[in-house]
Each structure stands twice: as structure tokens, then as C-alpha cells.
């Protein structure tokens, strides 16, 4: 099956928390690492650390000195492989950073060539393995003063390596903060990212992504995270979970009869046979399988969004979102009112502190939703009316969603007329949805990433799911603030030549207007507005 060429993803978050087959631990030539990696080294048993940083053990240092890299852990179902590699960047040496990225990818590719890593354990295994590496040399390293050029060089080197060898894994470059993530996305787009994505997903889907990115940049995009997203982290689908529970309840002989029941009634019979307490124990054990976030979690969490909704019980998206710089994420209704920061509505309950809270599973739970969760439904309805909601990994057949969407439809029909409003949401799915598209016409744009050549059944879903990841990656590239970093010359290497000329002009303007606006006084609204506009062009975390 042709799954398409290898792909380079760019995300922001915690490299060590990503569900992948292998990832890179950056060191210098002596095997030393910065303090943030010390805990990771200790977990491999191959390093020691103190408050100043850490260092690989002596056998690993010898391998590093002889070969420039050493394997700290091989991939297995228990976790991804880890390769330590000398990625030190001499002062302002951009080619050295590119070579380091290329060498690191070679080591990761070799490590995953014959390994059956975590991807093989997924309900829908990836058609290609996935390896991850961090940006190098742009933090406290020798490339900090030319970090835009260093990032652009790394991206070019990785892209060239993928083009040379089409038999290897997909790659994700994980940025540790927003400023480097935004600069990497800008560099990728300047190097022909638009054309590359249009060729991968097709012009029509690419055009839809550009429109979604405009919503994101304007603060109007709201992700709705469904169970399909968490399948990439090793969790089962809703139907797959019930299949497992049937076996746990000793109801295999009843499976033909159970298969004819509504899923909610099937869950009620399973709960009756197991008992509520035992069912909760099993569900917690199943959710505990996912120790790392999926690539889709990290791609969605990298978007410039502050509001989200989900029917998932797991907390994987919240973890990815926090690691991507969202700060503490309020989970509604369990954290009371939403704070000024990011928040997510959990419609079907959540897991927290080793316990399940407010889980919706059986028909009785769904019926109780109307009595207990009207406030949550109202929040989602408000988001549907005032934002553009992006459904990912969600089948659009959930009873709770149907109730919410029905009320929104009535409001629109009674006011401005449904067909005059345009779609208020978009659904991205790896399944074919010709019937759903007709059912939701005028309300939701239902976009499928499945192609005829993918085939039918489960076998065809894996390449379509990977294509959905690529679509989310394109969304991230287009959603980045176009004004970011323009006042910081260390990022000039990530800009095109016309952009650099604009940036130079803006710096001259900022040098003149900054002192002049300050003379207006701190209470003058003009000064505040100018300061806010200039801040958009300085590297700052969101």
C-alpha cells in the first residue's frame, strides 16, 4: 500500500512525552547534557546528574566519543528507543547544526529499522514508524545568536534526508517553546511549505486548511477532541473498548446478541454483569495504558487556541496542551469556573487523581446528561454559535452532540436562516462520510482524508489517519502569527529576503516610535496600543 512520501512534522511540547518509536537525547562531545534532560537520563540508567546538569555514564561516553552517538534504550512495547547524539553547535556555525540534525536522524532511522516499537501496539498502527528530535543549538548553545538560520538549516537538512531515503520513518521536530516553534514554521513556509502540503493533501483540502488557519489566528478556532485522537496513544476506540469489556465480563457467548444492541445499552449490560466498582477499576487500567500523548494531541495543542471541548475521559490533550505552553488548563466542570487562561469542557467526564469523575457510558448516563450537564451543553452551544469548532477524531454520532447541535440548528433557522450562515464547524476524519456530509450540510464541513486507493475496512484507515496528521501539521504552519519575531534579528535566518527587508524597516520604526510613545505616559491608550502591537513582533510565549 502506497502511504506517500516520508513527512517532517513540526510541533511544540515535551519530546519525552510523545508516543513515538524513538527520540534523540542531545549531548555535547563529552556526553554532558543540560539540566532539563537529567531526569530522562536517570530513567534510562545511563546517566548521572546534579544541579548544574548531567553526564552519560562512562561506557556511553566511550561509544559517543568513538561514533558520535550511543543507544541508551532500544524500542519496545514498553517505550520508545533513545539515542544520545553529539549535537553541540560551535559559535554561529549554521552548517554544523544542519549536519548534527542529519546525523541524529540517521541514528534514529537505524534504530527503528528492524524494531517492533510502540507503533505496532496501537489499535491502528502507523503505516510508518515515527521518530522525534528536538531543536539543537538554539537555546543556550552556540547557535543562539543566529537561531533563525540554525532552525532553517536543520529543517532543510531533515527534509533533504527524507527525500533521499523514502524507506524510513516519519520525523517530528519538537520545539521546546513557542518562539522557536513559530520561527521553525515560518522557515518551513519560506522554503516552499505551501507547495509541499498542497501536493501531499491535494489543493482542495489545503485550501480548507488555509481557511481554518485564519480562524485560528483570529482566536476563533476551538478544537473538539474525540476518541480517534487518543487511539494514536494506544487507547481503544469506543467500540474497541466495549469489545474488551465484553471479554472482561465473561460475556463472549452473548456477543452476537450484544452486537445487535445500541452501544449505550451494551455498556449498561456490561456494567450490570461486572458491577460499577469493578468496571471503574478496568476503565482506569485501560486509560493507564496511555503513558504518552499521540502526535495528533501535540499537533492540536500547538495551535494558537485557548478553548477546547472533548468527550474523552483521558487527560492526554490537557497534558499535551500544558506542555505546549498553555499554562494550567482548567477542566470544566471539575475546576469550577474557567480562569483567564486555557480551558476545556469535558462533556463525558474525566480521569483525575486516579479516579473517574462524571463518566458518561450507559444509556442512563446519557439521559442523566440532560438533567446534570445543561450548563456544559450551553458552553458548547455558545462556542458553536460564536467560534468555529474543529472536530478531530469524533464520529458525529454521539447522542449528546446531536442534542447540542439540534438546539444550535433551531436557533440559526429561527434567526438568520440556516443556509445563509455558512458552516459553523469543520470535521476532519480518516473515514468516508458521504452520508454524514449530506446530513450535516449547511452546518458542518465534513472533510475526509481517506482516498479510494486506501482500500476498505480497518486496513485503509491507517494511511488516512496519517494524512489527517499531515493536514493538522499544515494547519499549524499556517496558523502561526505572521508578525512574530520581526523585531528580533537572531531570527532573520528563518525569514525570506523580502521579509527581512520588512523586518529591518520595522526595527527602525520601533527604535523611533518606542521612546516617542513612552513620552505619552503610562495611562495614554495610544501608548498602550503601540506597545501591544510592537510586542506581537517580539519573541514571547503565548
Amino acid at each position: 500500500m502506497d502511504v506517500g512520501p516520508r513527512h517532517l512534522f513540526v510541533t511544540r511540547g515535551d519530546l519525552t512525552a510523545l508516543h513515538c518509536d524513538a527520540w534523540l537525547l542531545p549531548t555535547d562531545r563529552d556526553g554532558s547534557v543540560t539540566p532539563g534532560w537529567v531526569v530522562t537520563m536517570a530513567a534510562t540508567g545511563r546517566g548521572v546528574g546534579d544541579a548544574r546538569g548531567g553526564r552519560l555514564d562512562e561506557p556511553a561516553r566511550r561509544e559517543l566519543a568513538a561514533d558520535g552517538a550511543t543507544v541508551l534504550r532500544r524500542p519496545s512495547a514498553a517505550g520508545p528507543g533513545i539515542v544520545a547524539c553529539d549535537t553541540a553547535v560551535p559559535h554561529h556555525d549554521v552548517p554544523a547544526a544542519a549536519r548534527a540534525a542529519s546525523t541524529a536522524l540517521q541514528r534514529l532511522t537505524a534504530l527503528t529499522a528492524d524494531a517492533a516499537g510502540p507503533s505496532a501496539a496501537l489499535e491502528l498502527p502507523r503505516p510508518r514508524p515515527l521518530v522525534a528530535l528536538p531543536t539543537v543549538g538554539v537555546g543556550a548553545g552556540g547557535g543562539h545568536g543566529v537561531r533563525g538560520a540554525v532552525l532553517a538549516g536543520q529543517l532543510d537538512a531533515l527534509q533533504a534526508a527524507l527525500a533521499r531515503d523514502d524507506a524510513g520513518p516519519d520525523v517530528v521536530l519538537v520545539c521546546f517553546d513557542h518562539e522557536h516553534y513559530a520561527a521553525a514554521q515560518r522557515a518551513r513556509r519560506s522554503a516552499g511549505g505551501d507547495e509541499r502540503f498542497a501536493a501531499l493533501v491535494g489543493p482542495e483540502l489545503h485550501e480548507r486548511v488555509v481557511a481554518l488557519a485564519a480562524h485560528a489566528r483570529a482566536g476563533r478556532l476551538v478544537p473538539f477532541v474525540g476518541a480517534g485522537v487518543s487511539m494514536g496513544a494506544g487507547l481503544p476506540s469506543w467500540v474497541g473498548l466495549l469489545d474488551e469489556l465484553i471479554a472482561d465480563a465473561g460475556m463472549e457467548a452473548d456477543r452476537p446478541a450484544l452486537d445487535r444492541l445500541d452501544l449505550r445499552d451494551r455498556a449498561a449490560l456490561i456494567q450490570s454483569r461486572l458491577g460499577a466498582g469493578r468496571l471503574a477499576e478496568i476503565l482506569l487500567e485501560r486509560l493507564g495504558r496511555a503513558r504518552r500523548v499521540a502526535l495528533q494531541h501535540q499537533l492540536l495543542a500547538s495551535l494558537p487556541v485557548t478553548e477546547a471541548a472533548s468527550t474523552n475521559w483521558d487527560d492526554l490533550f490537557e497534558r499535551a496542551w500544558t506542555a505546549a505552553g498553555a499554562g494550567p488548563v482548567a477542566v470544566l466542570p471539575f475546576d469550577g469556573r474557567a480562569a483567564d487562561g486555557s480551558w476545556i469542557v469535558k462533556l463525558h467526564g474525566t480521569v483525575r487523581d486516579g479516579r473517574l469523575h462524571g463518566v458518561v457510558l450507559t444509556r442512563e448516563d446519557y439521559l442523566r446528561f440532560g438533567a446534570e450537564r445543561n450548563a456544559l451543553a450551553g458552553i458548547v452551544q455558545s462556542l458553536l454559535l460564536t467560534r468555529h469548532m474543529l472536530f478531530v477524531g469524533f464520529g458525529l454520532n454521539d447522542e449528546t452532540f446531536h442534542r447540542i447541535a439540534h438546539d444550535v440548528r433551531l436557533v440559526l433557522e429561527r434567526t438568520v436562516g440556516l443556509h445563509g450562515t455558512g458552516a459553523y464547524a469543520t470535521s476532519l476524519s480518516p473515514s468516508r462520510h458521504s452520508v454524514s456530509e449530506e446530513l450535516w450540510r449547511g452546518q458542518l464541513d465534513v472533510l475526509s482524508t481517506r482516498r479510494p486507493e486506501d482500500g476498505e475496512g480497518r486496513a485503509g484507515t491507517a494511511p488516512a489517519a496519517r494524512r489527517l496528521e499531515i493536514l493538522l501539521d499544515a494547519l499549524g504552519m499556517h496558523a502561526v502569527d505572521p508578525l512574530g519575531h520581526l523585531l528580533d534579528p537572531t531570527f532573520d535566518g528563518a525569514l525570506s529576503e523580502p521579509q527581512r527587508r520588512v523586518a529591518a524597516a520595522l526595527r527602525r520604526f520601533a527604535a523611533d516610535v518606542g521612546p516617542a510613545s513612552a513620552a505619552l505616559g503610562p495611562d495614554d491608550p495610544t501608548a498602550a496600543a503601540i506597545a501591544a502591537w510592537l510586542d506581537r513582533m517580539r519573541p514571547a510565549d503565548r
Side-chain angles (χ1 to χ4, degrees):
M1 180 184 299
D2 182 14
V3 299
R6 296 170 70 185
H7 185 68
L8 172 62
F9 298 89
V10 175
T11 70
R12 180 186 172 189
D14 181 359
L15 173 74
T16 68
L18 179 66
H19 192 108
C20 60
D21 292 273
W23 55 265
L24 178 83
L25 173 68
T27 77
D28 65 11
R29 67 186 62 186
D30 297 320
S32 297
V33 303
T34 54
W37 296 101
V38 171
V39 173
T40 299
M41 292 169 57
T44 69
R46 301 299 304 274
V48 294
D50 56 30
R52 296 183 300 272
R55 198 179 188 201
L56 298 178
D57 63 21
E58 188 164 343
R61 293 201 304 274
R62 285 199 299 268
E63 294 175 17
L64 186 73
D67 203 26
T70 180
V71 175
L72 301 183
R73 187 170 70 194
R74 296 195 171 276
S76 71
I82 303 175
V83 174
C85 188
D86 174 11
T87 59
V89 177
H91 185 64
H92 287 199
D93 192 339
V94 175
R99 289 193 299 272
S102 183
T103 300
L105 178 56
Q106 290 175 16
R107 305 295 183 174
L108 291 169
T109 299
L111 184 62
T112 59
D114 301 315
S119 293
L122 300 181
E123 184 170 347
L124 287 173
R126 292 182 56 84
R128 289 185 185 273
L130 181 70
V131 299
L133 63 161
T135 56
V136 297
V138 293
H144 180 81
V146 288
R147 46 189 173 169
V150 168
L151 287 168
Q154 289 178 49
L155 287 164
D156 288 345
L158 293 172
Q159 200 67 60
L162 267 60
R164 284 194 301 270
D165 178 13
D166 194 44
D170 286 330
V171 181
V172 54
L173 181 69
V174 183
C175 304
F176 59 87
D177 63 17
H178 179 62
E179 59 189 35
H180 294 109
Y181 168 76
Q185 295 288 30
R186 186 189 294 278
R188 187 158 63 147
R189 189 169 183 182
S190 296
D194 279 323
E195 295 79 5
R196 187 177 297 113
F197 277 117
L200 286 171
V201 303
E204 182 179 353
L205 279 179
H206 183 252
E207 185 178 337
R208 298 289 190 93
V209 164
V210 172
L212 287 171
H215 287 301
R217 291 195 304 272
R220 293 194 302 266
L221 193 70
V222 178
F224 193 113
V225 184
V229 176
S230 293
M231 289 171 66
L235 291 181
S237 64
W238 174 234
V239 174
L241 174 62
L242 291 182
D243 284 343
E244 292 182 11
L245 292 175
I246 287 171
D248 290 322
M251 302 175 72
E252 292 284 5
D254 301 316
R255 187 177 290 275
L258 288 169
D259 287 345
R260 291 193 292 270
L261 291 177
D262 181 273
L263 294 177
R264 294 163 295 174
D265 295 328
R266 198 182 306 177
L269 286 173
I270 293 170
Q271 179 175 271
S272 176
R273 182 69 63 88
L274 286 171
R278 177 57 184 153
L279 177 60
E281 291 176 1
I282 294 173
L283 291 177
L284 285 170
E285 184 274 327
R286 296 291 190 275
L287 293 172
R289 292 177 182 173
R291 298 185 297 274
R292 297 174 181 85
V293 305
L295 177 59
Q296 286 189 33
H297 287 126
Q298 208 167 78
L299 289 166
L300 287 167
S302 300
L303 297 174
V305 296
T306 58
E307 304 155 336
S310 180
T311 49
N312 294 354
W313 303 331
D314 64 75
D315 64 348
L316 295 175
F317 178 68
E318 296 96 285
R319 284 156 51 184
W321 207 9
T322 299
V329 176
V331 179
L332 306 183
F334 308 101
D335 289 328
R337 295 175 64 250
D340 293 335
S342 303
W343 51 268
I344 182 170
V345 180
K346 301 295 285 282
L347 290 169
H348 287 178
T350 193
V351 61
R352 174 177 286 190
D353 301 326
R355 295 177 56 197
L356 295 172
H357 298 267
V359 163
V360 175
L361 177 64
T362 66
R363 184 178 294 277
E364 182 179 352
D365 295 331
Y366 274 84
L367 292 173
R368 191 176 66 243
F369 183 92
E372 297 182 0
R373 303 292 177 86
N374 286 337
L376 297 184
I379 294 173
V380 177
Q381 287 168 343
S382 174
L383 293 173
L384 285 168
L385 286 167
T386 61
R387 306 284 195 273
H388 191 92
M389 193 164 278
L390 177 63
F391 293 92
V392 184
F394 187 74
L396 301 180
N397 55 1
D398 180 83
E399 184 64 26
T400 300
F401 173 73
H402 276 272
R403 292 185 185 186
I404 292 170
H406 171 73
D407 290 343
V408 172
R409 181 187 183 99
L410 288 179
V411 169
L412 294 176
E413 286 179 335
R414 290 170 181 171
T415 54
V416 293
L418 181 63
H419 297 291
T421 64
Y424 53 73
T426 298
S427 172
L428 299 180
S429 171
S431 303
R432 289 199 181 95
H433 281 308
S434 56
V435 175
S436 296
E437 186 172 1
E438 184 175 351
L439 177 65
W440 293 102
R441 184 169 294 139
Q443 302 175 78
L444 278 77
D445 286 330
V446 182
L447 307 181
S448 172
T449 58
R450 195 157 187 156
R451 295 176 179 172
E453 62 266 27
D454 295 334
E456 301 297 330
R458 289 169 54 83
T461 305
R466 176 178 176 269
R467 209 170 289 121
L468 192 153
E469 293 170 344
I470 294 173
L471 212 63
L472 292 175
D473 190 35
L475 177 58
M477 185 186 76
H478 284 281
V480 166
D481 186 348
L483 295 182
H485 307 104
L486 292 182
L487 296 186
D488 188 337
T490 68
F491 284 104
D492 275 1
L495 306 178
S496 65
E497 182 55 38
Q499 289 171 339
R500 282 196 286 271
R501 289 197 296 269
V502 171
L506 284 170
R507 285 174 205 139
R508 291 192 296 270
F509 169 78
D512 291 336
V513 78
S517 62
L520 296 174
D523 298 327
D524 191 295
T526 303
I530 291 172
W533 185 74
L534 291 175
D535 282 344
R536 280 188 62 189
M537 291 177 283
R538 294 189 176 95
D541 224 337
R542 67 165 182 239

